[in-house]
Structures are given as structure tokens and as C-alpha cells.
């Protein structure tokens, strides 16, 4: 009588495949840091604008309300957080003086990559504030990002699509201050590290005699 064949040894279990959702640290892009001066709407206006964007454009690619802003000046990207640069940026913010004003964003503008709210005409107080910030940065020896130019807009979403423009109503707010934001590229993180109020100019005192 033939004896039963010996059972084959089982193959060792394969290790589980790594989850594609979280790449290993070595595969992640390196972080970059940038800083920008900006105007930010208050929470009520930011959420109202976000709701409008969701209704008009859908949920894909929308910026969260906390990230709504209008960039006034922008640094190049840095691999770290230079303490001397941050101190110089804060000194630049301290040196800026400008009066409050009302900002109307009455044009919805879509490019091939983004959709934003923009003013339909020049806003002299906004231009003056931006120029004052740029001059204060230059006085501190801070370089502006070379491929950036001031074109006031509040980005609502990132998407791919055909360019368009159309008028909109109801998006205006009182600009009473500006902020300095630290942005961590690759982490979608914004941190406000400085803020400054705007003050109306003091009336000139007439001579009594």
C-alpha cells in the first residue's frame, strides 16, 4: 500500500501592500515656505462668498473660507523659515500707514485654472495700500517674488475650464486692516503671524493765530 504523499510546505505569506493613500516620507515633495501680505474678509463675508462659489461652481477645488484673501505682496519660496526674514516682514508691516476703505468685488472671472472675484475698475486706496507695502518691503531689503505682479482678486476655486467673465453683485466689505500670512506649500496651511489696522489720517490742525 502506498503511503500518502507528504503535504507541501505552505508558501510564506506576502507582506501587505502599502496603502497608496499615504506615500512614504521619502516620496513626499519637500515643503516650501512663503509669506504674503493680504486683505482678508471677515468670517461672515468669507462664508457667504464660499456658499456662492459652491452654488455657482460646485464643490470641487473650492478654497475653504479661512483661506479667502487678496494678496498684496508675496515673497519667493524658501526651504526653511528664516527668522531674519520674518522679523523684516513684521517691521515692514509696522511701517505702513493707510486709511480704511470699502472694496467692491463685482466681477466673477474664470481663467483656465482658477475662478476669482475681482473689482471691475481701479481702486485707488487699494493701489495705494499695496504700493506702501511694496515700498516698506523694499526698505527692509525684502525681495518680491519675481514672477508675481499685483492683480487684485479673491480666488474662489482651482479648476480646469474655459475662461469667462461676468458681473456679480453683493460682494463688498470694509477694509479696516491687513495681515501677514505664512503659507506652507504642500500642507495647504495658512497661519496669520501679523496684523495691522488701517487708520484715517488725522485732520490738520489749523493755526489759531
Amino acid at each position: 500500500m502506498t503511503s500518502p504523499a507528504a503535504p507541501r510546505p505552505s508558501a510564506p505569506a506576502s507582506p501587505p501592500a502599502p496603502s497608496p493613500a499615504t506615500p512614504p516620507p521619502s516620496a513626499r515633495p519637500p515643503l516650501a515656505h512663503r509669506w504674503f501680505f493680504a486683505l482678508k474678509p471677515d468670517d461672515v463675508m468669507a462664508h457667504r462668498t464660499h456658499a456662492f462659489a459652491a452654488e455657482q461652481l460646485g464643490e470641487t477645488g473650492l478654497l475653504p473660507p479661512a483661506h479667502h484673501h487678496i494678496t498684496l505682496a508675496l515673497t519667493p519660496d524658501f526651504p526653511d523659515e528664516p527668522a531674519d526674514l520674518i522679523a523684516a516682514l513684521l517691521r515692514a508691516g509696522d511701517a505702513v500707514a493707510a486709511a480704511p476703505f470699502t472694496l467692491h468685488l463685482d466681477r466673477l472671472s474664470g481663467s483656465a485654472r482658477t475662478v476669482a472675484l475681482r473689482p471691475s475698475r481701479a481702486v485707488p486706496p487699494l493701489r495705494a495700500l499695496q504700493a506702501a507695502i511694496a515700498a516698506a518691503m523694499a526698505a527692509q531689503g525684502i525681495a518680491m517674488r519675481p514672477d508675481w505682479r499685483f492683480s487684485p482678486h479673491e480666488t474662489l476655486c482651482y479648476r480646469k475650464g474655459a475662461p469667462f467673465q461676468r458681473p456679480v453683485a453683493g460682494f463688498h466689505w470694509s477694509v479696516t486692516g491687513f495681515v501677514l500670512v505664512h503659507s506652507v506649500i504642500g500642507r495647504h496651511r495658512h497661519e496669520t503671524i501679523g496684523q495691522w489696522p488701517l487708520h484715517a489720517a488725522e485732520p490738520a490742525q489749523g493755526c489759531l493765530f
Side-chain angles (χ1 to χ4, degrees):
M1 184 168 65
T2 57
S3 56
R8 295 182 180 181
S10 59
S14 300
S19 169
T22 307
S26 59
R28 297 175 190 168
L31 292 181
H33 303 265
R34 74 176 60 143
W35 288 263
F36 58 88
F37 288 100
L39 304 180
K40 289 180 69 70
D42 64 26
D43 288 344
V44 172
M45 180 56 70
H47 281 84
R48 180 181 171 191
T49 308
H50 182 270
F52 166 80
E55 177 185 294
Q56 297 290 315
L57 308 168
E59 297 287 345
T60 304
L62 290 185
L63 269 68
H67 285 195
H68 282 218
H69 67 273
I70 295 175
T71 301
L72 300 172
L74 181 66
T75 70
D77 292 352
F78 292 84
D80 53 12
E81 302 175 52
D84 56 345
L85 171 67
I86 297 170
L89 286 164
L90 293 171
R91 289 194 299 270
D94 290 340
V96 173
F101 59 94
T102 299
L103 179 62
H104 292 265
L105 301 175
D106 53 1
R107 182 161 54 106
L108 187 65
S109 174
S111 70
R113 296 182 57 248
T114 65
V115 178
L117 287 172
R118 297 177 180 271
S120 62
R121 56 183 60 88
V123 185
L126 175 59
R127 292 282 177 179
L129 174 60
Q130 194 278 329
I133 291 173
M137 287 176 61
Q140 293 293 329
I142 304 168
M144 198 79 72
R145 187 182 181 95
D147 59 350
W148 180 85
R149 66 180 182 84
F150 182 51
S151 176
H153 64 277
E154 180 183 344
T155 300
L156 304 182
C157 80
Y158 292 96
R159 57 84 158 142
K160 293 181 179 179
F164 70 90
Q165 293 192 40
R166 71 172 185 263
V168 293
F171 298 100
H172 59 272
W173 32 287
S174 296
V175 177
T176 59
F178 65 98
V179 298
L180 175 62
V181 177
H182 172 210
S183 175
V184 183
I185 311 304
R187 292 290 184 270
H188 305 290
R189 192 174 80 214
H190 285 182
E191 177 189 5
T192 299
I193 63 172
Q195 52 187 351
W196 295 267
L198 300 181
H199 296 290
E202 294 290 336
Q205 297 295 322
C207 180
L208 298 178
F209 303 101

